[in-house]
Structure formats: structure tokens, C-alpha cells
Amino acid sequence: MKISPLTLYADDDVTDGRESIAIPESMRKFYGSDLVMPPLVKGRATVSVNFVVRRDGVVNIPEDPGGKAINGGNTGDIAFMAILRATHDAVLVGSETLASEPHHLWTPSYIYREFGEELEAWRLSNGRSRYPTNIIISRSGMVRDPENLARKIPLSLDYPVFNTPELKTILVTTKEGASVLGDAVLSHSNVTLLTIISEEFERELLVVLLERFGITYLLVEGGPTVNGAFHAKGLVTDDFLTLAPGMAGRTQDSRRATLMMGHEFPPNAIPTPRLISVRRSDNHLLIRERYN
């Protein structure tokens, strides 16, 4: 499938001549340049966040699993997501995101095969695994029951993300969550159980991911509560946000989630990132922001 190149308006990383990753030529033509990775953070994994958001901030509609109503079917956004997954060492999501997209694999080819298979071959040619490591966070070891969203059930290991050859998966939980998950996860050949006991859950996780698993660049793809937790601790370096046209709307008691949930910054302490790049795909804007 032929895809139109993104319209490049500005990219400070490219203008400043920062060292980039030489992505495959067809992807470079689509993106308008090679990809510059975020500045490394010493002593822990460096975090990027990737979301598509409607202009009123809505990122999730419960009755729309997979987010097609949010993305609006924009191929440019999906193709760029494949590039981000390929250039990061691991992709992290929360268990609620997993439950809402139970068949999903957080790999390049799962979302955009036209780029994905070439990107995965590119990873192999650079001495990396075919797929980025998939990381699932479930602090409680529980997940919403799809048959009854008002209750939670123990997280199952039957999801494809836990059972796909060549795909390494890390299941992150707390001491309490590990007791819920039980011994089955310990004997699962594709899954590594990682228990974080520190009160600084997210920060400790990033340290362990670097020291134990060699994960330098981590891509966070959801959900909004996970995004909120990393932002609240000041752990995000770059935000990759696709701004989709139109507003989805929310009622006072809406279950529709906005970009950042679970934390509020006081008015005088709202983090303000720098705008790094702007690209356009049809009516969508692909924006990159940096916090340090």
C-alpha cells in the first residue's frame, strides 16, 4: 500500500544536527528524515510516550476497542507508530490496555505490516531481537472482567502477547499482585515476572529495566493512568502526540479517558515541555515535545 509522506514543518533535532538512527530508506522518505532518539537519561531507561488524542483530550472510548474512533483511520499515525516501536527496545502498556485490546501485539508489523516486516528485519540486521520486548504492568495482578466491567478477575496468561514465539514479555507487578498471579507465570517460558516492591514503583522499574534487561529506550503506549503515573514522577523525556481533528466529547460521568489520568499538577507547577517537531498527515498533526 502506497503511503503519502508526512509534511515536515519543523524538527529542531534535525536542524541542530543531533545524531540520528538510520532507519530504512522507505521509512526515511515517509518521515522526512532519519529518527533522532531522545537524550539518554543516566542510570535508568529513557521514556518516550506515544498517544493519539482528539482535540478535546479524549484518548479512549470504551465502546471503541483499538481506538479507531480516536485515530480516525489515519495511516500516517499508524505507520509512524511502527517506526517508534522498532526504534525502541521495549513497549509498555497497562493491563487495562491489554484487556481492551486482547489480541494486540505491541510490535511494528502488528499495526502496520507494510513497514513492520521491513523494520523487524532491520532490527535483526542490527543485532537486535525481531520484536521489541513487550512489558505489561498489573500492580494488583487483576484486570477488568470483559463480561462484567464492574468487577475484576486475575490476569490470564492466555493473551497472545504472552504466547508468541520470538516475543519476549515482562509482566510487572507488586508483591501483592505476584501472590494473585500465582506460580503459573513463573513456569511460563515466554514471560518474565518482575516484582517491584519499592514505593517509587515507576522509577525503580526504569532502573531495573536498564540494569537487568538492557532496555535503554522505553516506549509507553497506554493507558492514560500509566501515562499519568510516569508524568507525575517527572520520568518522561519525549512525548509523541498525534493530534486528531474533531472532539469526541465527555459527559459529567463519562468513562471516556483523557490523555493523563490519576494525577493533577497544581496551577503553578504544570510541566511545560519544549516543542521539538511538527509533521502533518492529512488533517492530523504529529507533534514531538521534550521535557529535559
Side-chain angles (χ1 to χ4, degrees):
M1 179 188 301
K2 185 174 176 59
I3 184 171
S4 298
L6 300 176
T7 301
L8 173 60
Y9 292 127
D11 192 320
D12 288 355
D13 281 342
V14 174
T15 301
D16 293 344
R18 289 194 62 233
E19 185 176 355
S20 60
I21 292 180
I23 56 179
E25 180 64 17
S26 58
M27 273 121 271
R28 191 192 66 79
K29 289 181 178 179
F30 158 74
Y31 188 58
S33 69
D34 285 320
L35 184 69
V36 176
M37 298 301 290
L40 282 172
V41 178
K42 186 177 180 180
R44 64 169 176 83
T46 301
V47 178
S48 303
V49 169
N50 182 41
F51 268 91
V52 57
V53 54
R54 287 286 181 172
R55 286 180 182 160
D56 56 356
V58 173
V59 298
N60 172 271
I61 300 176
E63 60 270 30
D64 173 48
K68 292 182 180 178
I70 300 297
N71 166 273
N74 184 267
T75 307
D77 168 63
I78 297 170
F80 180 57
M81 189 186 303
I83 293 173
L84 282 179
R85 288 182 179 183
T87 51
H88 284 70
D89 301 311
V91 183
L92 180 148
V93 298
S95 58
E96 296 300 333
T97 297
L98 171 62
S100 69
E101 302 180 61
H103 301 292
H104 202 95
L105 303 177
W106 283 266
T107 65
S109 58
Y110 187 89
I111 51 166
Y112 194 67
R113 188 169 297 278
E114 287 81 355
F115 281 0
E117 292 182 347
E118 186 177 355
L119 283 165
E120 288 162 7
W122 170 80
R123 284 177 59 91
L124 289 171
S125 71
N126 284 278
R128 305 170 76 179
S129 59
R130 179 180 297 276
Y131 307 124
T133 299
N134 281 195
I135 303 174
I136 311 298
I137 291 182
S138 178
R139 289 174 181 256
S140 67
M142 308 285 283
V143 70
R144 291 187 191 276
D145 183 353
E147 304 297 327
N148 180 4
L149 296 179
R151 75 185 186 106
K152 291 195 172 186
I153 57 177
L155 179 67
S156 168
L157 296 181
D158 292 336
Y159 293 102
V161 72
F162 299 127
N163 298 283
T164 298
E166 295 188 75
L167 177 60
K168 296 178 181 179
T169 305
I170 301 172
L171 180 53
V172 185
T173 190
T174 61
K175 184 177 180 180
E176 293 73 21
S179 65
V180 172
L181 291 166
D183 294 336
V185 66
L186 298 176
S187 60
H188 198 295
S189 59
N190 274 25
V191 182
T192 299
L193 181 65
L194 177 58
T195 303
I196 302 293
I197 60 175
S198 170
E199 292 184 3
E200 288 288 319
F201 183 92
E202 289 78 18
R203 191 177 301 276
E204 180 65 19
L205 170 60
L206 297 181
V207 172
V208 174
L209 290 180
L210 176 64
E211 293 182 349
R212 180 173 167 186
F213 299 97
I215 293 172
T216 303
Y217 287 109
L218 175 68
L219 182 65
V220 175
E221 286 195 10
T225 303
V226 172
N227 180 38
F230 279 97
H231 273 92
K233 301 291 178 61
L235 298 172
V236 177
T237 297
D238 279 18
D239 272 329
F240 292 90
L241 301 177
T242 296
L243 186 60
M247 294 180 283
R250 299 179 80 242
T251 59
Q252 189 171 7
D253 57 351
S254 179
R255 291 181 54 244
R256 296 183 175 187
T258 56
L259 182 61
M260 180 174 171
M261 304 288 286
H263 183 83
E264 293 181 346
F265 290 104
N268 61 348
I270 297 174
T272 305
R274 292 185 294 118
L275 182 63
I276 296 297
S277 70
V278 181
R279 289 169 167 81
R280 177 180 174 181
S281 175
D282 296 326
N283 293 317
H284 292 57
L285 289 178
L286 280 68
I287 297 169
R288 183 178 189 176
E289 300 174 323
R290 181 163 300 145
Y291 288 90
N292 49 34

